[in-house]
């Protein structure tokens, strides 16, 4: 006797979530261009790295290699198997998955509306552009290597490069195809897997690809994998990068639970009285305290009283104090975005306060909290003063393997290089700053994306 | 006093569709008019101000009461929202709360399941008797009260989780150990939503239409198997079709549950409710109970002039 109304009438009111949006032609063109160029670059980059690595592995004895400034010029006689592998693997992985879908949508009556057709065509159009850009790139790279080899007095360098062009042209072609077609397909497919509702081409991937490309062109990989050195050309950021990572992990592990706990207490449990207001005001004030003060606090409390010495742990605890206000405030904001009606709904079915927080408030606010955490970490990653205050070292030629080891971090390493008289160090300091900026960029971008993705439209 | 007041009410309701008639004729018997028991009348005498005594209709027969409100006042900080309300809520009946905006209907409703505990600065005085205990007593566990007295809010507020999870949540946290799938299906069926969502139970509750969301909230409320369901203008944001569905639903639910419903729609109050309470706020914006009685009496033969003015649309 229920449902007296015919349900057909009601379906008219029920919106379908999958809404196809129309694109303007202009948007399509721009997006297509952006995607093409970036896919291409990203693809080429990945192949490039993979091939380089493989070449180093497989051509141990046979390759003639030449040390140039912090890099290696390699003649790449690729084993045949590798060539076919680089071709066949992506195809083997993607074709059943992607191809089947295309075929199915062709067969189905929805052919005209299939996004898969649209996308495949879009991807195919990238091919000519991919070839063109890749040829430009190879030219550029060769010229660069020839110039460089001559400058450092290597005679057979030109021969090496030409070999790459001549005999290995088949291989070049493979690279090209892989870069221009297979990888974009793969990335699109991955994007589809990531989100079924990828409704429009994301411009994020292009941005990341372009940045990665530029970095790859201008940054010597050895700079990232060398320890500090007395010689500018051999000095690298390796121990600083690992030190930064190490410290950030511990900082987050200390600051996130404490900060989120404080936020939950203040928002969900504390009564609104003078005491909680005072705490609130103090937290906001702490966010504005100069970081050197935190350094002095850390020096006394962690280094001296708790006897952590000048260790990663002492640095991380100091940093945790420094970023705590940011984490607390952003977590509070995230908690406040959960509408009161959600809490009431949960209370109304008999949930206890903790159940409301655990099953409703926290899950909906978690994305925002993580975002805040990442932003706090990106603040901590650039902080120098407090770490100098607690005495982080600048010349570390080993990796920390326990939290009580000495350490250095990127900004301190850079600071150290800038102080030196030799201009070579100033140049690598500039490179170091670029690396630091890139890390920051990536972290902030991640935070923004996360905020978008985890947002609930109430 | 006509016992078949439901028939009377139907004639005054607009002939919108067949639905109300169908429901009306399906009802086994019209509810017997209730009576205020002697002790209730006595306790109602706590009023210091005789003018606060609301007009009550003749109660000729004893009726089982789910809740007994005695002198319930509610405050938000220093502002008094409702003043010493005394009324019964009959069991397994639909009781409508009507009155102009701001007269304290939602406040009264929220007092009944201690929802106002959650508002900082809110305070309640008086007594609400529920199964022999005063549920406003601080020693009574508010969580337990809310489990047994469910609520459906004015604005649909499903959790941003799957439909299934929306319904199952309340039962799960209350330690329900039976067959969850059946409970979910049962609740959705009773809320007249099952046929529309049975194939997409893992779809987000937020992806439903407003009317479907409201029925989902009702399913969520009944999944906990409360004894009383409080509904705050459950149909205020809905189209006529969804509104009728929800009204049908209320009539059906009244067979097993006690329902208190706030509504601004006089026709709706007439169609669905067995008893009606009319609330009004005076100059100082303090809400008071003006009249309580069987819906038919209130609508056809109000004892208070203000009630008549309001029902006939002469009030603000
Ligand atoms: N959370 C609150 N804090 C302070 N005052 C409140 C709060 N909620 C309601 N009030 C006040 O209490 C009075 C009664 O409000 P209530 O929401 O109960 O009215 P209502 O009868 O439900 O009105 P409506 O029909 O518009 O929903 C109003 O004057 C309102 O301003
Ligand atoms: Mg209200």
């Amino acid at each position: 006797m229920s449902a007296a109304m015919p349900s057909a009438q009601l379906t008219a009111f029920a919106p379908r979530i999958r809404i196809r949006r129309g694109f303007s032609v202009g948007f399509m063109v721009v997006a297509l261009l952006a995607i093409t160029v970036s896919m291409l670059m990203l693809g080429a980059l990945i192949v490039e790295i993979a091939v380089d690595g493989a070449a180093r592995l497989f051509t141990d004895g046979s390759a003639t290699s030449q040390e140039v400034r912090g890099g290696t010029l390699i003649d790449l006689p690729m084993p045949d198997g590798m060539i076919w592998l680089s071709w066949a693997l992506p195809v083997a992985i993607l074709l059943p998955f992607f191809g089947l879908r295309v075929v199915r949508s062709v067969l189905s009556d929805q052919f005209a509306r299939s996004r898969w057709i649209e996308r495949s065509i879009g991807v195919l159009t990238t091919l000519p552009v991919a070839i063109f850009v890749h040829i430009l790139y190879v030219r550029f790279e060769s010229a660069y290597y020839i110039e460089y080899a001559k400058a450092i007095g290597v005679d057979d360098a030109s021969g090496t490069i030409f070999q790459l062009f001549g005999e290995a042209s088949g291989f070049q072609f493979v690279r090209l195809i892989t870069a221009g077609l297979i990888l974009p397909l793969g990335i699109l497919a991955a994007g589809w897997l990531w989100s079924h509702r990828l409704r429009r081409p994301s411009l994020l991937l292009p941005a990341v690809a372009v940045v990665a490309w530029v970095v790859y062109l201008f940054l010597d990989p050895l700079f990232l994998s060398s320890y500090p050195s007395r010689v500018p050309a051999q000095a690298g950021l390796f121990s600083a990068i690992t030190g930064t990572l190490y410290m950030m992990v511990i900082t987050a592990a200390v600051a996130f639970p404490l900060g989120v706990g404080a936020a939950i207490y203040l928002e969900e449990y504390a009564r609104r009285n003078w005491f909680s207001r005072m705490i609130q005001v103090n937290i906001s004030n702490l966010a504005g305290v100069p970081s050197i003060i935190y350094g002095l606090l850390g020096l006394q409390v962690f280094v001296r009283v708790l006897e952590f010495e000048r260790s990663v742990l002492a640095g991380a605890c100091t940093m945790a104090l420094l970023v705590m206000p940011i984490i607390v405030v952003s977590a509070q904001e995230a908690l406040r975005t959960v509408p009161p009606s959600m809490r009431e709904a949960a209370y109304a079915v008999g949930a206890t306060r903790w159940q409301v927080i655990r099953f409703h408030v926290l899950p909906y606010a978690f994305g925002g909290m993580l975002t805040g955490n990442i932003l706090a970490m990106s603040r901590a990653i650039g902080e120098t003063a407090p770490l100098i205050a607690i005495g982080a070292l600048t010349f570390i030629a080993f990796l920390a393997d326990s939290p009580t080891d000495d350490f250095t971090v990127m900004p301190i390493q850079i600071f150290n290089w800038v102080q030196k008289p030799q201009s070579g160090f100033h140049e690598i300091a500039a490179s170091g700053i670029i690396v630091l900026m890139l890390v920051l960029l990536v972290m902030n971008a991640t935070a923004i994306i996360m905020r978008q993705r985890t947002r609930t439209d109430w | 006093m006509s016992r078949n007041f439901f028939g009377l009410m139907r004639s005054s309701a607009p002939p919108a569709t067949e639905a109300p008639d169908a429901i009306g004729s399906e009802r086994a018997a019209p509810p017997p008019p209730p009576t205020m028991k002697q002790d209730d009348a006595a306790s109602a005498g706590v009023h210091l101000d005789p003018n606060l005594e609301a007009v009550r209709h003749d109660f000729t027969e004893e009726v089982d009461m789910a809740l007994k409100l005695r002198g319930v006042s509610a405050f938000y900080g220093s502002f008094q929202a409702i003043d010493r309300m005394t009324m019964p809520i009959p069991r397994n009946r639909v009781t409508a709360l009507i009155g102009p905006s701001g007269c304290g209907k939602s406040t009264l409703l929220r007092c009944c399941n201690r929802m106002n505990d959650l508002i900082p600065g809110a305070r309640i005085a008086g007594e609400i008797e529920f199964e022999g205990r005063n549920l406003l007593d601080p020693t009574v566990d508010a969580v337990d009260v809310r489990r047994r007295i469910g609520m459906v809010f004015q604005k649909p507020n499903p959790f941003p989780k799957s439909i299934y999870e929306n319904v199952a949540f309340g039962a799960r946290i209350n330690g329900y150990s039976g067959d969850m799938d059946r409970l979910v299906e049962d609740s959705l069926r009773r809320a007249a939503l099952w046929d529309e969502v049975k194939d997409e139970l893992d779809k987000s509750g937020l992806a439903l239409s407003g009317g479907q969301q409201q029925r989902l909230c009702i399913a969520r409320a009944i999944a906990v198997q409360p004894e009383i369901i409080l509904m705050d203008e459950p149909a205020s944001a809905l189209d006529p079709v969804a509104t009728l569905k929800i009204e049908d639903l209320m009539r059906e639910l009244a067979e097993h549950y006690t329902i208190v419903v706030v509504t601004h729609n006089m026709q709706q109050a007439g169609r669905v409710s067995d008893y009606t309470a009319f609330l009004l706020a005076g100059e100082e914006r303090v809400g008071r109970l003006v009249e309580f009685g069987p819906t038919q009496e209130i609508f056809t033969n109000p004892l208070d002039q203000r009630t008549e003015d309001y029902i006939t649309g002469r009030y603000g």
Side-chain angles (χ1 to χ4, degrees):
Chain A
M1 68 187 212
S2 64
M5 290 294 123
S7 63
Q9 257 176 293
L10 260 175
T11 48
F13 299 109
R16 305 267 311 153
I17 22 170
R18 287 241 189 102
I19 299 164
R20 275 179 51 82
R21 294 189 197 154
F23 297 128
S24 71
V25 178
F27 178 76
M28 285 293 269
V29 170
V30 171
L32 209 65
L33 263 179
I35 288 194
T36 308
V37 173
S38 56
M39 289 296 167
L40 175 77
M41 288 175 166
L42 195 63
L45 172 65
I46 293 170
V47 169
E48 203 71 38
I49 291 171
V51 165
D52 275 2
R56 276 168 219 236
L57 274 180
F58 284 89
T59 61
D60 227 6
S62 62
T64 52
S65 60
Q66 188 72 47
E67 287 288 329
V68 295
R69 169 191 164 262
T72 316
L73 197 62
I74 313 169
D75 165 22
L76 298 164
M78 281 287 281
D80 281 354
M82 278 301 294
I83 297 179
W84 290 115
L85 204 65
S86 68
W87 240 116
L89 212 62
V91 177
I93 294 170
L94 293 171
L95 209 64
F97 169 73
F98 196 75
L100 262 182
R101 240 160 220 291
V102 175
V103 170
R104 213 190 292 157
S105 56
V106 170
L107 293 181
S108 77
D109 53 346
Q110 296 187 326
F111 176 77
R113 292 192 288 136
S114 165
R115 290 175 302 154
W116 291 98
I117 301 300
E118 247 170 52
R119 284 188 191 175
S120 317
I121 293 171
V123 169
L124 281 175
T125 55
T126 67
L127 190 57
V129 191
I131 293 172
F132 178 68
V133 177
H134 205 88
I135 288 172
L136 282 186
Y137 159 65
V138 170
R139 289 256 163 97
F140 170 76
E141 193 186 47
S142 332
Y144 170 78
Y145 271 114
I146 294 170
E147 281 298 310
Y148 214 102
K150 273 185 188 156
I152 59 167
V154 175
D155 295 335
D156 61 342
S158 56
T160 312
I161 300 295
F162 283 133
Q163 204 172 355
L164 207 85
F165 258 142
E167 281 176 32
S169 59
F171 166 67
Q172 281 296 327
F173 181 69
V174 171
R175 275 178 159 195
L176 226 138
I177 298 292
T178 331
L181 181 62
I182 306 292
L183 273 154
L185 283 180
I187 290 163
L188 266 192
W192 179 82
L193 278 179
W194 176 306
S195 155
H196 287 246
R197 286 183 285 164
L198 192 74
R199 291 206 198 101
R200 63 198 157 89
S202 158
L203 292 181
L204 169 77
L205 217 53
V208 170
V210 169
V211 170
W213 186 248
V214 170
V215 170
Y216 178 71
L217 283 186
F218 296 104
L219 207 67
D220 191 333
L222 284 192
F223 179 62
L224 301 179
S225 58
S226 307
Y227 291 106
S229 162
R230 254 173 265 281
V231 186
Q234 286 167 15
L237 262 183
F238 193 50
S239 52
I241 291 175
T242 50
T244 293
L245 279 181
Y246 208 165
M247 196 183 76
M248 285 305 118
V249 169
I250 301 180
T251 305
V254 172
F256 189 64
L258 278 179
V260 168
I264 290 175
Y265 171 75
L266 284 173
E267 279 302 306
E268 308 288 330
Y269 285 93
R271 289 169 173 270
R272 301 271 175 276
N273 53 21
W274 65 269
F275 182 67
S276 63
R277 265 198 301 277
M278 194 185 71
I279 293 181
Q280 189 66 60
V281 168
N282 265 314
I283 287 175
S284 310
N285 283 343
L286 282 177
V289 171
S291 55
I292 186 72
I293 310 274
Y294 284 98
L296 295 177
L297 180 71
L299 179 65
Q300 185 60 26
V301 175
F302 299 120
V303 178
R304 300 214 179 119
V305 176
L306 296 177
E307 295 181 353
F308 289 169
E309 306 296 330
R310 312 158 143 192
S311 62
V312 182
L313 190 59
C317 289
T318 311
M319 281 302 176
L321 284 187
L322 178 76
V323 299
M324 193 83 76
I326 307 176
I327 294 184
V328 174
V329 169
S330 64
Q332 278 185 294
E333 247 145 48
L335 289 172
R336 270 182 232 136
T337 60
V338 178
S341 65
M342 270 313 112
R343 292 163 217 256
E344 291 197 334
Y347 278 120
V349 290
T352 62
R353 189 197 295 249
W354 173 241
Q355 284 168 333
V356 173
I357 294 173
R358 162 74 185 75
F359 294 109
H360 294 284
V361 178
L362 275 188
Y364 311 149
F366 199 67
M369 291 177 174
L370 273 190
T371 308
N373 191 47
I374 294 175
L375 291 179
M377 288 304 122
S378 71
R379 158 108 196 256
I381 216 171
E383 277 298 342
T384 325
L387 293 180
I388 292 177
I390 67 164
L393 301 177
T394 53
F395 193 95
I396 300 279
F398 55 86
L399 293 186
D401 47 27
S402 92
T404 50
D405 279 353
D406 289 349
F407 73 110
T408 190
V409 292
M410 283 197 265
I412 289 191
Q413 186 68 70
I414 294 167
F415 171 67
N416 176 249
W417 283 335
V418 172
Q419 278 185 317
K420 300 212 169 178
Q422 300 96 318
S423 67
F425 279 116
H426 299 166
E427 280 167 26
I428 59 172
S431 310
I433 289 168
I434 291 180
V435 174
L436 187 59
M437 290 248 306
L438 284 172
V439 173
L440 280 173
L441 202 70
V442 168
M443 287 178 82
N444 285 310
T446 315
I448 291 169
I449 295 158
M450 210 127 88
R451 190 158 51 204
Q452 296 294 329
R453 286 202 166 264
T454 57
R455 206 184 50 195
T456 316
D457 292 319
W458 303 102
Chain B
M1 177 192 281
S2 159
R3 296 202 131 221
N4 186 15
F5 62 78
F6 232 82
L8 266 176
M9 280 322 300
R10 269 206 315 282
S11 60
S12 69
T17 57
E18 294 290 295
D21 276 317
I23 291 301
S25 56
E26 251 169 320
R27 284 182 56 74
T35 179
M36 282 294 270
K37 280 185 265 167
Q38 279 316 76
D39 61 325
D40 284 331
S43 64
V46 294
H47 297 311
L48 303 175
D49 177 358
N51 294 334
L52 280 176
E53 187 65 58
V55 177
R56 281 200 195 73
H57 291 255
D58 243 358
F59 296 96
T60 56
E61 225 173 274
E62 286 211 2
V63 139
D64 197 9
M65 301 299 175
L67 290 179
K68 292 172 191 162
L69 282 65
R70 294 195 193 95
V72 176
S73 301
F75 304 81
Y76 294 105
S78 58
F79 172 72
Q80 184 170 14
I82 58 179
D83 187 20
R84 284 167 290 176
M85 293 200 180
T86 299
M87 61 186 275
I89 306 287
R91 195 184 302 282
N92 291 1
R93 295 286 178 268
V94 181
T95 304
L97 302 181
I98 60 171
S101 191
C103 67
K105 303 178 297 295
S106 300
T107 304
L108 183 64
L109 215 56
R110 296 168 60 91
C111 288
C112 292
N113 68 344
R114 304 260 311 251
M115 222 50 188
N116 261 17
D117 288 17
L118 304 172
I119 298 179
R123 201 160 49 80
I124 314 174
E127 203 178 285
I128 300 179
E129 190 186 315
F130 174 55
E131 304 192 339
R133 289 198 68 178
N134 174 16
L135 63 77
L136 296 180
D137 194 324
T139 60
V140 170
D141 182 10
V143 170
D144 190 47
V145 169
R146 289 187 207 118
R147 201 196 71 67
R148 299 172 61 181
I149 306 184
M151 187 154 193
V152 177
F153 297 85
Q154 182 163 354
K155 210 170 131 231
N157 56 355
F159 302 129
K161 302 191 175 197
S162 69
I163 292 172
Y164 186 97
E165 207 36 54
N166 260 283
V167 181
F169 174 72
R172 186 172 302 138
I173 58 168
N174 285 302
Y176 177 78
S177 55
D179 183 350
M180 191 60 86
D181 291 355
R182 275 206 52 192
L183 179 75
V184 170
E185 180 177 340
D186 268 8
S187 309
L188 285 170
R189 270 190 201 286
R190 271 201 256 171
L193 187 61
W194 176 252
D195 291 332
E196 285 155 66
V197 302
K198 61 171 179 264
D199 298 323
E200 35 189 13
L201 289 178
D202 53 359
K203 189 164 115 174
S204 165
L206 288 176
L208 296 172
S209 78
Q212 289 172 326
Q213 286 187 8
Q214 192 61 288
R215 275 176 286 153
L216 178 61
C217 291
I218 293 174
R220 178 175 70 189
I222 53 189
V224 191
Q225 298 168 350
E227 282 128 68
I228 304 175
I229 302 179
L230 311 170
M231 297 185 175
D232 196 350
E233 299 182 51
S236 66
L238 305 185
D239 65 79
V241 178
T243 302
L244 281 179
K245 274 207 168 189
I246 289 194
E247 288 179 12
D248 290 357
L249 177 61
M250 278 192 257
R251 290 273 26 134
E252 258 162 52
L253 290 176
E255 284 165 21
H256 304 282
Y257 302 92
T258 304
I259 293 182
V260 186
V261 56
V262 170
T263 176
H264 278 290
N265 181 336
M266 288 308 110
Q267 274 110 34
Q268 185 175 64
R271 282 195 297 266
V272 301
S273 73
D274 304 310
Y275 298 92
T276 298
F278 174 56
L279 279 55
L280 193 59
E283 297 281 271
E284 18 31 315
R285 290 172 51 235
V286 180
R288 299 201 172 90
L289 179 64
V290 172
E291 187 162 346
F292 176 85
T295 298
Q296 176 254 356
E297 298 286 318
I298 298 260
F299 274 69
T300 56
N301 189 19
L303 299 180
D304 194 296
Q305 185 59 39
R306 292 170 295 178
T307 314
E308 186 173 347
D309 288 349
Y310 182 72
I311 287 168
T312 53
R314 256 174 279 161
Y315 236 99

